[in-house]
Amino acid sequence: MKRRLLVGLYLVAGLVALAILAFLPGGARAQFDVLAEFELHPIIKLPSIGPVDLSINKAVIYLWITTAVLAVCAFIISRNIKPVPSRFQFVMETLYELARRSIVGAVMKSDQASWFPYIAGAFFFVLVSNLIGLVPLPFAENHQFGFYAATANLYATLALALCTFVFTHYAGIRKHGLVGYVNGWVPSSAPPVLRQLMLLIHAISEVFRLVSLSVRLFANMLAGHSILAVFFAMALIFQNYLAAVVLQAGSIIIYLFEIFIACIQAFIFAILSAVYIGGALDQEE
Amino acid sequence: MDAESAKLLAAGISMGVGSLGPAIGLGMLISKALESIARQPEVSGEIRTDMFIGIGVTEAVALYAFVIALILIFVA
């Protein structure tokens, strides 16, 4: 009875505090631009070779961090594998099993062993890169802490998607030969005129796979990070302490949702890569 | 209406209308997948994998609208 009274008192006190906060005057309105977070400025200026600018910017640093984290994790885990796994080893084994069973095993019919390394590599790279994007690191303007993900950059995701694109056709051509592979794009029972049209449509769809694979990952990460930024900065826009408290609570929920999205997007990228490569290997008759 | 406000309007409309279709599609896709998992729990793993492939492909349509909206605001 006494405890319930105490809880009720706390509740009333909290509501009163929120009501007082609602009437406090807010701070000065600050200018705020969401997309400024995603602009890339060279941190270390390097000479450019022809049209290729080699300057080190935020995205490059995030890619380096991703690579370093992956390499260190792989090194540590491969040095001491125990029959009774530690916590870290258990997590890595679970992720490995996920890549092996639910991604490669569930989608590809043949040649699983030879394509598992690429697909698992893409999965781990995208996963670690997405998750590092949710850790505040001091690479924003004037070395402030800020959120950025290497995968929230179209060039990084396009490079990843190009890998899948190239490997898809490499796998198909190596298995069926160039002529056999291109012929396998359309059913052999189709009449010749229709065949040419279908070949053209299929070629266009191959290019659009590249676009959709890269834009999906890029737009998901960019949208997630800009929603986070909007929630964090909403207090500046409303100039109200009540809105600030409520929206900070909301931003925590959005942040948790972003962790989920980061994992799902890595999973989808890897599984679509597996679907494309598997489709090139086992063409329907 | 000047060009600047037309751009902002177009960006908002493209995001709103462009997310209508994928929203309906995602709802149908996930409801059907859950229905079949409830009917046949023993193949839930396979259904879930296929569901995620479908989610990825469907969701991309909304993200194209998002990219178009960004292009309208910041590039065009």
Side-chain angles (χ1 to χ4, degrees):
Chain A
M1 199 61 214
K2 205 175 168 196
R3 208 163 141 236
R4 282 175 79 181
L5 196 72
L6 216 61
V7 170
L9 269 179
Y10 279 136
L11 217 69
V12 170
L15 283 178
V16 168
L18 281 183
I20 291 170
L21 281 179
F23 291 105
L24 277 181
R29 188 189 192 92
Q31 277 300 316
F32 166 65
D33 182 12
V34 178
L35 269 278
E37 281 287 309
F38 297 96
E39 280 166 10
L40 294 174
H41 305 291
I43 291 174
I44 300 168
K45 203 97 173 102
L46 288 180
S48 50
I49 301 173
V52 185
D53 191 2
L54 291 179
S55 299
I56 312 283
N57 56 27
K58 209 158 51 166
V60 178
I61 291 180
Y62 270 82
L63 283 174
W64 283 350
I65 295 172
T66 308
T67 318
V69 168
L70 268 180
V72 167
C73 280
F75 186 78
I76 291 174
I77 206 68
S78 63
R79 281 309 109 155
N80 81 70
I81 294 175
K82 293 181 220 120
V84 180
S86 61
R87 273 187 214 167
F88 179 60
Q89 191 187 336
F90 180 73
V91 171
M92 297 305 270
E93 275 179 2
T94 312
L95 286 174
Y96 183 88
E97 276 297 309
L98 180 77
R100 178 138 225 158
R101 282 242 176 88
S102 338
I103 296 178
V104 179
V107 173
M108 293 177 83
K109 290 196 198 85
S110 61
D111 234 359
Q112 290 185 0
S114 58
W115 289 104
F116 171 70
Y118 168 66
I119 288 161
F123 172 66
F124 278 105
F125 189 82
V126 175
L127 179 69
V128 170
S129 171
N130 286 353
L131 288 179
I132 281 176
L134 293 170
V135 180
L137 291 173
F139 297 113
E141 288 297 299
N142 306 321
H143 297 284
Q144 289 171 328
F145 279 85
F147 288 122
Y148 185 77
T151 39
N153 181 343
L154 186 56
Y155 304 110
T157 58
L158 192 60
L160 282 169
L162 261 177
C163 285
T164 297
F165 183 76
V166 168
F167 281 141
T168 303
H169 298 301
Y170 170 71
I173 290 170
R174 195 177 66 167
K175 184 155 179 193
H176 304 282
L178 183 59
V179 179
Y181 175 59
V182 175
N183 273 333
W185 282 357
V186 289
S188 47
S189 56
V193 184
L194 200 59
R195 265 178 80 82
Q196 291 171 357
L197 190 67
M198 285 170 81
L199 269 180
L200 184 70
I201 292 172
H202 191 98
I204 293 171
S205 83
E206 286 289 336
V207 175
F208 267 84
R209 276 179 180 180
L210 179 64
V211 175
S212 77
L213 201 57
S214 57
V215 167
R216 177 182 305 115
L217 184 55
F218 152 71
N220 253 303
M221 297 323 286
L222 183 67
H225 280 72
S226 26
I227 288 174
L228 266 182
V230 166
F231 261 79
F232 286 146
M234 200 79 100
L236 301 179
I237 296 167
F238 280 128
Q239 297 182 40
N240 189 322
Y241 284 100
L242 176 63
V245 170
V246 172
L247 287 167
Q248 288 307 311
S251 73
I252 293 172
I253 295 168
I254 298 282
Y255 186 89
L256 293 177
F257 185 64
E258 280 311 308
I259 296 176
F260 173 69
I261 291 285
C263 301
I264 287 290
Q265 283 309 314
F267 185 74
I268 285 177
F269 187 90
I271 208 162
L272 282 178
S273 298
V275 167
Y276 293 160
I277 294 175
L281 285 172
D282 306 294
Q283 294 176 316
E284 300 102 291
E285 292 306 314
Chain B
M1 194 188 324
D2 59 339
E4 196 60 32
S5 47
K7 251 192 241 170
L8 292 177
L9 262 181
I13 292 172
S14 85
M15 194 64 242
V17 177
S19 53
L20 267 182
I24 297 170
L26 278 176
M28 282 166 71
L29 194 147
I30 296 171
S31 78
K32 288 283 175 194
L34 289 183
E35 224 167 72
S36 37
I37 288 177
R39 230 172 251 176
Q40 280 182 295
E42 62 273 11
V43 287
S44 62
E46 288 169 40
I47 293 174
R48 200 167 292 136
T49 311
D50 286 355
M51 185 182 82
F52 278 124
I53 299 174
I55 287 176
V57 174
T58 317
E59 183 198 44
V61 180
L63 295 170
Y64 295 152
F66 174 71
V67 172
I68 296 290
L70 284 188
I71 289 174
L72 278 172
I73 297 176
F74 292 101
V75 182

